[in-house]
Amino acid sequence: MALRIVKSGYLKRFSKSMFSGGWKDVWVVLYDNSDLCMYNRQGDLEIKAKIHMKDVCKRFAFGDYTSSFPNRPDLPRGSSYEHVLAIPHKNNSQAKVFWFLCRDSNDLQ
Protein backbone atom coordinates (compact mmCIF):
# COMPACT_ATOMS: atom_id res chain seq x y z
CA MET A 1 0.00 0.00 0.00
CA ALA A 2 1.42 3.38 -1.00
CA LEU A 3 2.05 6.01 1.62
CA ARG A 4 -0.12 9.11 1.49
CA ILE A 5 1.35 12.56 2.01
CA VAL A 6 -0.36 14.35 4.89
CA LYS A 7 1.60 17.61 4.57
CA SER A 8 4.69 18.81 2.74
CA GLY A 9 6.60 22.01 2.22
CA TYR A 10 9.77 23.95 2.87
CA LEU A 11 10.91 24.64 6.43
CA LYS A 12 14.16 26.07 7.68
CA ARG A 13 16.34 23.56 9.54
CA PHE A 14 19.13 24.55 11.88
CA SER A 15 22.52 22.86 11.59
CA LYS A 16 25.66 23.33 13.68
CA SER A 17 27.89 22.25 10.81
CA MET A 18 31.16 24.20 10.79
CA PHE A 19 31.15 24.91 7.06
CA SER A 20 27.47 25.04 6.14
CA GLY A 21 25.77 25.67 9.48
CA GLY A 22 22.87 27.93 10.30
CA TRP A 23 19.30 27.97 9.05
CA LYS A 24 18.84 26.29 5.64
CA ASP A 25 15.72 25.49 3.64
CA VAL A 26 14.79 21.78 3.49
CA TRP A 27 11.83 20.01 1.89
CA VAL A 28 9.86 18.14 4.56
CA VAL A 29 7.17 15.50 3.99
CA LEU A 30 4.90 14.03 6.66
CA TYR A 31 3.45 10.68 5.57
CA ASP A 32 0.34 8.96 6.93
CA ASN A 33 2.49 6.32 8.69
CA SER A 34 3.88 9.22 10.82
CA ASP A 35 7.29 9.34 9.09
CA LEU A 36 8.65 12.86 8.77
CA CYS A 37 11.20 12.81 5.95
CA MET A 38 13.65 15.56 5.07
CA TYR A 39 15.08 16.19 1.62
CA ASN A 40 17.43 18.87 0.31
CA ARG A 41 14.90 19.94 -2.32
CA GLN A 42 11.41 19.13 -3.52
CA GLY A 43 11.55 16.20 -5.93
CA ASP A 44 14.72 14.67 -4.46
CA LEU A 45 14.59 10.91 -4.00
CA GLU A 46 17.33 10.68 -1.36
CA ILE A 47 16.02 11.09 2.18
CA LYS A 48 18.48 13.10 4.30
CA ALA A 49 16.83 12.25 7.62
CA LYS A 50 13.71 10.48 8.83
CA ILE A 51 11.86 10.68 12.14
CA HIS A 52 9.03 8.34 13.06
CA MET A 53 6.79 10.90 14.82
CA LYS A 54 4.76 8.28 16.72
CA ASP A 55 7.98 7.29 18.50
CA VAL A 56 8.83 10.83 19.62
CA CYS A 57 5.37 12.40 20.04
CA LYS A 58 5.82 12.86 23.81
CA ARG A 59 9.21 14.51 23.42
CA PHE A 60 8.83 17.12 20.69
CA ALA A 61 7.86 20.72 21.34
CA PHE A 62 6.88 23.88 19.49
CA GLY A 63 6.80 27.56 20.24
CA ASP A 64 7.72 28.71 23.72
CA TYR A 65 7.80 25.08 24.93
CA THR A 66 11.10 24.67 23.06
CA SER A 67 12.81 26.81 25.73
CA SER A 68 13.24 23.67 27.88
CA PHE A 69 15.39 22.00 25.19
CA PRO A 70 19.17 22.40 25.47
CA ASN A 71 21.07 24.29 22.79
CA ARG A 72 18.06 26.13 21.38
CA PRO A 73 19.50 28.11 18.46
CA ASP A 74 19.21 31.82 17.88
CA LEU A 75 16.70 32.74 15.20
CA PRO A 76 17.18 34.75 12.05
CA ARG A 77 16.22 38.40 12.34
CA GLY A 78 12.45 38.92 12.19
CA SER A 79 11.62 35.33 13.21
CA SER A 80 9.71 34.26 16.29
CA TYR A 81 10.10 31.27 18.63
CA GLU A 82 6.35 30.73 18.28
CA HIS A 83 7.17 29.23 14.84
CA VAL A 84 9.92 26.86 16.04
CA LEU A 85 9.71 23.06 16.31
CA ALA A 86 12.15 20.92 18.31
CA ILE A 87 11.90 17.26 17.32
CA PRO A 88 14.23 14.60 18.72
CA HIS A 89 15.44 11.94 16.29
CA LYS A 90 14.56 9.15 18.74
CA ASN A 91 12.49 8.68 21.90
CA ASN A 92 15.45 9.36 24.14
CA SER A 93 16.39 12.37 26.25
CA GLN A 94 19.93 12.25 24.80
CA ALA A 95 18.82 12.03 21.16
CA LYS A 96 19.84 14.56 18.54
CA VAL A 97 17.24 17.33 18.23
CA PHE A 98 16.17 18.64 14.84
CA TRP A 99 15.31 22.34 14.93
CA PHE A 100 12.81 23.64 12.37
CA LEU A 101 11.54 27.15 11.72
CA CYS A 102 8.17 27.61 10.04
CA ARG A 103 7.31 30.65 7.93
CA ASP A 104 4.15 31.29 9.95
CA SER A 105 1.49 29.64 12.11
CA ASN A 106 -0.17 28.05 9.06
CA ASP A 107 2.83 25.72 8.66
CA LEU A 108 2.09 24.33 12.13
CA GLN A 109 -1.45 23.25 11.26
Side-chain angles (χ1 to χ4, degrees):
M1 187 157 109
L3 294 175
R4 188 176 62 84
I5 295 173
V6 175
K7 188 157 181 135
S8 63
Y10 279 102
L11 297 177
K12 291 200 177 293
R13 178 178 170 241
F14 183 77
S15 171
K16 287 185 180 182
S17 171
M18 181 183 294
F19 298 108
S20 62
W23 292 98
K24 306 287 184 195
D25 288 331
V26 293
W27 182 255
V28 180
V29 180
L30 177 63
Y31 292 98
D32 60 357
N33 69 345
S34 89
D35 282 347
L36 182 69
C37 297
M38 288 161 270
Y39 304 86
N40 283 335
R41 289 174 289 290
Q42 183 179 7
D44 282 359
L45 299 177
E46 182 182 352
I47 297 171
K48 292 298 179 184
K50 178 167 62 171
I51 304 168
H52 193 66
M53 295 299 291
K54 284 183 181 177
D55 290 345
V56 299
C57 63
K58 292 185 179 180
R59 293 197 180 268
F60 80 87
F62 70 94
D64 291 334
Y65 296 105
T66 62
S67 65
S68 64
F69 280 69
N71 303 314
R72 184 167 80 161
D74 293 331
L75 297 180
R77 184 174 303 200
S79 299
S80 168
Y81 281 108
E82 70 183 35
H83 300 137
V84 171
L85 293 163
I87 306 174
H89 187 245
K90 296 181 179 183
N91 188 15
N92 175 317
S93 63
Q94 303 301 313
K96 174 183 177 178
V97 174
F98 287 97
W99 293 94
F100 295 102
L101 176 61
C102 303
R103 289 182 314 256
D104 55 39
S105 298
N106 293 327
D107 285 345
L108 293 168
Q109 296 179 2

